[in-house]
Amino acid sequence: MTRRDGGFRGGSRGRSGSRDLRSDTRSVSVTVNYALNLVVATMLIGGVLTATGGMVQDRRESAVRTELSVVGERIAGDLMAADRLAEVGTAGPGADPTVSLSVTLPERVGGTRYDVSVRTSPAVLVLQSDDPEVTVRVGYHHDTPVETTTVRGGNLRIELASDGDLEVVSA
């Protein structure tokens, strides 16, 4: 069926019999669909990576916090044991106490280094990791004076110094 102007009813050919490219949308739909699929896939992958990246960081902080708590409890326990040994050693007549405890600790927790600060007022150990920055406080009790100090995590030694104070030093 032809129209009055000589073109076909489908409208795909103009007066001269050639195709009108402005009305041809067949190749555009394939290209547009492909581009839209790429955009949607990119957005989904980006969203998944963003969501799981935060979750991994939260899990790492939680693991570091837990490990620092365990390390802090070990140091506090050994510090209180050294305190008891120093108290018992000074109780006897003419006693010259020698107290030295080795504390075997990991150099890293959760893949990061950490510092141990011994504070006496209040009596607390402050453990702080480098990356991620996590701080844990662990209390302890002491009767013997304790030197305030900060040491790098790893093997430590708790000693009774010549002035009668307990000191925490790197081993």
Side-chain angles (χ1 to χ4, degrees), residues 4-135:
R4 258 195 249 175
D5 61 358
F8 291 104
R9 190 173 255 187
S12 62
R13 295 191 184 263
R15 286 184 189 230
S16 64
S18 65
R19 286 192 168 175
D20 184 9
L21 294 178
R22 285 179 265 152
S23 64
D24 187 8
T25 59
R26 290 176 294 168
S27 64
V28 174
S29 64
V30 172
T31 306
V32 169
N33 278 337
Y34 184 72
L36 286 175
N37 283 336
L38 283 177
V39 168
V40 169
T42 302
M43 289 176 61
L44 285 174
I45 291 171
V48 167
L49 290 176
T50 301
T52 57
M55 187 173 64
V56 169
Q57 183 66 17
D58 289 345
R59 292 293 178 194
R60 185 169 180 224
E61 285 180 10
S62 176
V64 169
R65 185 175 316 284
T66 301
E67 288 185 52
L68 284 177
S69 294
V70 170
V71 168
E73 292 293 337
R74 286 183 58 194
I75 297 170
D78 287 339
L79 190 58
M80 290 187 290
D83 176 56
R84 285 190 298 277
L85 288 171
E87 287 295 314
V88 169
T90 58
D96 186 19
T98 303
V99 176
S100 180
L101 290 175
S102 293
V103 184
T104 304
L105 301 170
E107 289 184 14
R108 296 177 178 271
V109 292
T112 186
R113 302 216 19 121
Y114 64 97
D115 292 325
V116 179
S117 296
V118 180
R119 299 184 184 162
T120 56
S121 183
V124 66
L125 299 171
V126 180
L127 291 88
Q128 185 170 14
S129 64
D130 293 341
D131 180 36
E133 290 186 22
V134 176
T135 302

Side-chain angles (χ1 to χ4, degrees), residues 79 82-90 95-101 144-147 157-169:
L79 190 58
D83 176 56
R84 285 190 298 277
L85 288 171
E87 287 295 314
V88 169
T90 58
D96 186 19
T98 303
V99 176
S100 180
L101 290 175
T144 306
V146 178
E147 290 287 327
R157 193 170 47 252
I158 301 170
E159 299 176 334
L160 186 62
S162 59
D163 63 357
D165 292 355
L166 287 173
E167 294 179 338
V168 178
V169 294

